[in-house]
Amino acid sequence: MIRFSEDKGYDSMLREGTRDAVNAARTRWALWLLLPAGLLVRAAGLEQVPPALNSDELLKVFDGASVYRTGRDHHGHAWPLFFEQSGEYSPPLYIYFAGLFSAACGINAYTARLPSAVLGTGSILMTYWFVSVWAGRKTGLLAAALVAVSPWNVHYSRIGWEAIALVPLQLGGLWLFVRWTQTSSLRDVVVSGVFWGLTVYAYPVARLSTFLMLAGLLLVYAPVLREKIRQAAAALLVLTGMLTPYVAAVWQNGEAMQKRWQFVSIWNRDDWLPLFFQHYFGHLSPRFLFLTGNENSLHFMAGGVALGVLLPFFVVGLIVLIRNRRREHWLLLFWLLTFAIPSSLTYDRYDPGSMPNALRSINGNPLLEIIGAVGIVTALEWIAHPRWVRLAGGIVTGAVLINAAAVGYDYAVRYPVYSAPEWQYGLKEAVQFVESRQADYDRIIVSHQVRLHPVALACFAGREPGPFRGADFPKYVLPFYHYTPMYRDFRGMEYERYKPVARWYTLAPGRNLILVKAGEIEGEPVWRISYPDGTPAYEVFESQGEGRY
């Protein structure tokens, strides 16, 4: 009788392989459940939180719809590489993406903001792929779950601004580059170059942050790059090709494209160096990152830009990154030390409380969640007994969910109330009231304090997206835009004749409707709208002039 010896090594390998396959399947299922949940968090109630569409959001979605409908933006430029908006040039990626929604379904809160929600959800997936490739599926899934409830990511995923587009592109560049160092796949490094090239067309911060990150990759992975120089050169060639149109645009329209930078740059000030360090360390402070975040309600969610409960795990993760000399750990440390540089080079002369600035430092998302995930996994590994590991994991999960629920409750219930003035709440209703009455009046005068952008006027009035024409709004006087040639038909210089606006009320000839911020004119308005807390927001008056000109 023949007896076969038992191959314990083979059985052990078989069991290990089966266990890995089961774990991989569970991770995939968890990820595919996480993504729709993350999208729901970002897309539910977009017409209510934030409480109104502001002019910046409307500019993006109007121009996006305009180019798909007519082939031109509202300035009449055909398929522009950069969009001229309010005297500056906006990057094209988000505008063209958002235009797919608004051209098909019209302009509303969902078509303006759903593109951001989709991009924010994409950053959850990209986080998983990036972290998994060097830290394993467990850490990758945990990091992705933390990004799904990240206040920083969620907030900018619910606003129709272009900033959130940078996050998945940057993560995609990192993921494929790190994977290339392991697989030597030419496709990985070339597509990584494509991702990095797209970042400069996503958000202006990337014009510096991308090159800082590329410098970090060069420093950390220098031996790998030397070993695979031909593939790296191919990726560099692709990246150069991606950047060439941007360089050409700057060369041709350098002054116009740098106008915004010249306005916010700290180099305009004599104290720029100490101001830079003040801003830089402010961005890296635990207070900003985990406790209070931005003071300006446009950029604010309760607590820090990351959940406060992550702070101790962030510290643990930071220690792990410093002690374990892995290239990926050094890359994360480099990212942590440099993400605040672009934002720290700016300031807001009208709002000192805007620094540190969560929007201009969006290139740092989701770094805090990634390091926090490393810290959580490490802390659980310190626990020897499996039963205690499960208990500790449950406690951490509960703490994260409670923290996220508390922030979410404040965001859904309180935020629409206290942030309403910053979001120009009530302006749409004010314009619609004026539009319904304009046939009975000679002029519609809009106070400079209302800050009604012509594109916002077009959206609120129901005008189809397309290039502006001089006769679109013949009765309107918009003083805030008299300096911009594009908007000269809004008779801004005429407004100056009776500035301040109260003089229009008492001196202007003819029958006029005057739209003002509440309190600018004494008397009883013909119409008023209040903020959610009951404070008057906008008022409309009929002029009481004697006809003197």
Side-chain angles (χ1 to χ4, degrees):
M1 182 176 179
I2 300 173
R3 295 179 181 272
F4 294 94
S5 62
E6 195 175 273
D7 190 340
K8 296 182 178 179
Y10 175 78
D11 288 345
S12 176
M13 290 173 59
L14 185 62
R15 287 194 298 272
E16 188 69 26
T18 303
R19 189 182 303 114
D20 285 346
V22 170
N23 289 337
R26 287 176 177 173
T27 299
R28 284 194 297 270
W29 276 107
L31 181 63
W32 298 128
L33 291 173
L34 181 64
L35 291 176
L39 179 61
L40 181 64
V41 168
R42 286 155 176 78
L46 286 175
E47 77 284 3
Q48 298 169 332
V49 186
L53 287 170
N54 71 1
S55 297
D56 287 339
E57 294 178 284
L58 292 169
L59 269 169
K60 306 290 184 290
V61 75
F62 187 92
D63 268 342
S66 179
V67 292
Y68 286 119
R69 286 171 175 261
T70 70
R72 297 180 180 275
D73 66 4
H74 82 277
H75 283 275
H77 303 318
W79 298 99
L81 180 60
F82 288 87
F83 286 79
E84 186 179 355
Q85 296 182 334
S86 298
E88 63 185 33
Y89 283 82
S90 296
L93 210 60
Y94 184 85
I95 296 174
Y96 280 113
F97 183 52
L100 297 173
F101 295 74
S102 55
C105 304
I107 294 176
N108 54 60
Y110 275 94
T111 57
R113 292 171 173 171
L114 189 58
S116 286
V118 171
L119 291 167
T121 304
S123 66
I124 300 173
L125 181 61
M126 288 296 183
T127 299
Y128 171 76
W129 282 340
F130 168 54
V131 177
S132 294
V133 80
W134 56 269
R137 291 189 298 266
K138 179 172 65 175
T139 307
L141 183 63
L142 178 56
L146 294 175
V147 174
V149 294
S150 162
W152 205 354
N153 194 279
V154 169
H155 181 60
Y156 290 117
S157 296
R158 297 182 60 87
I159 302 172
W161 296 341
E162 69 270 34
I164 194 64
L166 174 60
V167 178
L169 292 175
Q170 182 173 258
L171 286 167
L174 289 169
W175 161 51
L176 289 172
F177 183 91
V178 173
R179 193 170 78 169
W180 167 70
T181 65
Q182 301 171 1
T183 64
S184 300
S185 167
L186 178 62
R187 183 182 61 181
D188 282 350
V189 72
V190 167
V191 179
S192 175
V194 172
F195 273 114
W196 287 116
L198 287 173
T199 60
V200 300
Y201 301 100
Y203 187 51
V205 162
R207 298 170 191 176
L208 177 55
S209 68
T210 289
F211 294 100
L212 288 172
M213 290 301 296
L214 291 174
L217 293 174
L218 179 62
L219 289 172
V220 174
Y221 291 93
V224 180
L225 291 168
R226 285 194 298 268
E227 181 182 337
K228 305 175 182 182
I229 188 64
R230 291 186 178 180
Q231 291 186 348
L236 180 61
L237 185 63
V238 169
L239 177 60
T240 302
M242 297 281 296
L243 296 178
T244 298
Y246 166 71
V247 174
V250 173
W251 182 266
Q252 295 173 1
N253 304 288
E255 183 177 353
M257 290 190 65
Q258 297 299 317
K259 185 175 293 185
R260 177 65 176 170
W261 160 248
Q262 292 168 359
F263 182 76
V264 302
S265 171
I266 62 171
W267 291 339
N268 297 324
R269 298 177 47 146
D270 294 334
D271 61 343
W272 68 268
L273 186 58
L275 190 62
F276 167 78
F277 285 110
Q278 177 185 334
H279 290 174
Y280 177 78
F281 289 111
H283 282 90
L284 295 180
S285 69
R287 180 174 179 270
F288 170 70
L289 297 178
F290 297 100
L291 302 177
T292 63
N294 240 119
E295 294 182 12
N296 186 315
S297 60
L298 277 176
H299 311 291
F300 176 78
M301 289 182 72
V305 296
L307 296 176
V309 72
L310 288 184
L311 177 56
F313 300 107
F314 175 82
V315 173
V316 173
L318 203 57
I319 294 172
V320 172
L321 298 186
I322 294 171
R323 293 183 62 182
N324 295 350
R325 298 186 176 183
R326 291 187 55 175
R327 286 195 176 97
E328 292 77 21
H329 291 181
W330 287 113
L331 177 62
L332 293 182
L333 289 172
F334 182 89
W335 187 3
L336 179 64
L337 293 173
T338 58
F339 86 88
I341 291 176
S343 181
S344 300
L345 290 170
T346 68
Y347 78 109
D348 191 333
R349 63 187 69 189
Y350 299 123
D351 183 14
S354 68
M355 283 294 167
N357 192 291
L359 179 66
R360 296 174 190 166
S361 59
I362 190 70
N363 55 299
N365 182 255
L367 179 59
L368 304 177
E369 286 73 23
I370 293 172
I371 298 177
V374 172
I376 291 174
V377 171
T378 302
L380 293 178
E381 288 175 349
W382 288 343
I383 303 174
H385 200 286
R387 181 181 299 176
W388 291 110
V389 171
R390 288 192 292 270
L391 177 61
I395 292 173
V396 171
T397 301
V400 169
L401 291 176
I402 291 171
N403 194 170
V407 173
Y409 176 82
D410 181 271
Y411 191 59
V413 177
R414 295 183 61 245
Y415 182 80
V417 177
Y418 63 72
S419 70
E422 295 288 348
W423 287 101
Q424 298 177 294
Y425 178 91
L427 185 55
K428 175 182 178 180
E429 292 78 7
V431 169
Q432 291 174 341
F433 172 80
V434 167
E435 281 286 296
S436 70
R437 303 281 294 271
Q438 68 159 316
D440 301 328
Y441 295 89
D442 299 314
R443 297 180 188 82
I444 310 297
I445 297 98
V446 182
S447 166
H448 73 285
Q449 291 193 31
V450 172
R451 300 178 70 87
L452 175 62
H453 195 286
V455 168
L457 170 61
C459 293
F460 295 151
R463 181 191 181 284
E464 289 295 317
F468 268 68
R469 299 176 297 273
D472 282 340
F473 299 98
K475 292 188 177 183
Y476 279 82
V477 178
L478 298 184
F480 187 62
Y481 295 96
H482 73 80
Y483 60 86
T484 306
M486 173 64 206
Y487 309 120
R488 61 182 177 275
D489 297 305
F490 289 98
R491 302 156 65 183
M493 296 307 295
E494 185 177 338
Y495 174 87
E496 299 296 322
R497 186 183 298 264
Y498 296 112
K499 188 179 179 181
V501 72
R503 299 182 70 225
W504 276 100
Y505 180 58
T506 57
L507 298 179
R511 294 194 71 208
N512 306 308
L513 274 183
I514 308 173
L515 172 59
V516 298
K517 289 291 291 289
E520 285 192 78
I521 294 178
E522 295 182 2
E524 188 62 30
V526 297
W527 182 90
R528 172 188 290 143
I529 189 171
S530 297
Y531 295 123
D533 65 359
T535 306
Y538 299 99
E539 297 174 335
V540 177
F541 289 83
E542 290 181 331
S543 65
Q544 302 294 316
E546 302 172 2
R548 298 178 299 186
Y549 203 86

